[in-house]
Amino acid sequence: MSMPPSSEVPVGTDYSRLFRLDGRRAVVVGAGSGIGRESALALAAYGARVVCADRDLEAAEATARLGPDLSAYRLDVLDGDAVRRASAELGVVDVLVDSAATNVRKHLLDYSDDDFDRVVNLNLRAAFQLLRAFGSGMAARGRGSIIAFSSIRAVTVEPGQGVYAATKAGLVQLLRAAAAELGPRGVRVNAIAPGVVATPLTAPIRAVPEWAEAYAAKSALGRWSRPDELAGAVVYLASDASSFVTGTQLFVDGGWTAIDGRYTPPT
């Protein structure tokens, strides 16, 4: 049975340029360190002009010095007015990457209202503000890709991770709703779900050998990931290589969510 014309590959597609981002402008939130920094460097390596946005301007500038197509911009995403100003000042943005996140590791009964607000405000409210501010311009122009980092905790949880997990699950649903609403206007919206990554956020875990080793053993690959190992997924979702991908959560977790438990029984 023949396929309808809309599903056919365009004649003369240049697959060698499928991941190229030449002529596109990207904003990476949280580009001062960790996954955000590596995302910015990877996008620039594939031809994008990248704005490295971070609350810590010095950290953003340090990232920007690593490449010719990188610039720094101070942005506190907890300030809704600042987010709206940024979307106006930065002009045309084709790709938005949100890597900002925080966590307070406590059991639910030990959580204070301030702890709750701290995690929810950055992980969920700020993500909503960014999506709304930058997604509006993308929708008006009829194109764009929005990428935010969820987590394996969007689908799995452990003691002390309840509020963080709730924000990441909520973020995924927020992004799915945005994908449904903005898709007809040419904007794609997706999440990347890392496993355990060696970043400043996870430094307290890695400082405890038993804890660090238990997390490493949980994945199929038996180790923690490096921040740069998330960069390929960012480039993929930003580029035409993923032109028919929206509303999805891409797990880059070393097989963490494929495995049941941390104990390998004898065979």
Side-chain angles (χ1 to χ4, degrees):
M1 184 174 67
S2 62
M3 298 295 289
S6 62
S7 66
E8 294 176 358
V9 176
V11 175
T13 295
D14 185 355
Y15 289 114
S16 69
R17 299 191 59 79
L18 201 57
F19 292 88
R20 294 298 306 177
L21 297 166
D22 304 279
R24 302 184 196 182
R25 194 178 200 199
V27 173
V28 179
V29 176
S33 65
I35 295 171
R37 172 170 286 183
E38 300 304 325
S39 298
L41 296 177
L43 292 170
Y46 277 83
R49 291 174 294 118
V50 182
V51 176
C52 303
D54 202 285
R55 181 175 59 180
D56 184 341
L57 181 59
E58 289 186 1
E61 290 173 338
T63 299
R65 286 194 292 270
L66 299 175
D69 293 318
L70 300 161
S71 61
Y73 185 92
R74 186 186 184 281
L75 178 59
D76 181 357
V77 295
L78 294 174
D79 182 342
D81 290 336
V83 171
R84 287 185 286 273
R85 284 196 304 271
S87 67
E89 292 173 359
L90 295 175
V92 175
V93 173
D94 302 293
V95 179
L96 173 68
V97 180
D98 178 17
S99 70
T102 193
N103 192 9
V104 175
R105 289 177 173 273
K106 291 182 180 179
H107 288 186
L108 293 174
L109 299 185
D110 297 326
Y111 245 72
S112 67
D113 289 349
D114 287 344
D115 292 333
F116 183 89
D117 289 343
R118 176 184 169 191
V119 178
V120 171
N121 284 346
L122 182 57
N123 294 3
L124 193 55
R125 182 180 178 85
F128 168 70
Q129 301 271 25
L130 287 164
L131 190 158
R132 183 173 58 180
F134 287 91
S136 178
M138 291 179 181
R141 291 185 295 274
R143 68 182 189 279
S145 174
I146 296 172
I147 304 160
F149 281 88
S150 60
S151 168
I152 55 173
R153 295 304 173 208
V155 295
T156 67
V157 74
E158 66 181 13
Q161 293 267 51
V163 176
Y164 179 82
T167 63
K168 292 304 184 178
L171 175 62
V172 170
Q173 291 300 83
L174 184 69
L175 297 173
R176 285 174 172 162
E181 294 176 7
L182 299 180
R185 302 176 73 177
V187 182
R188 297 184 297 108
V189 186
N190 293 286
I192 297 173
V196 290
V197 188
T199 68
L201 186 64
T202 59
I205 300 172
R206 289 179 286 114
V208 182
E210 182 180 3
W211 200 357
E213 290 166 9
Y215 273 20
K218 171 63 175 72
S219 75
L221 298 182
R223 62 176 177 84
W224 287 62
S225 71
R226 305 182 309 271
D228 63 283
E229 292 181 295
L230 281 298
V234 174
V235 172
Y236 167 66
L237 291 174
S239 72
D240 291 342
S242 62
S243 60
F244 203 60
V245 178
T246 195
T248 193
Q249 181 171 207
L250 174 58
F251 285 90
V252 186
D253 64 355
W256 180 293
T257 51
I259 297 173
D260 181 15
R262 293 184 177 141
Y263 174 63
T264 302
T267 57

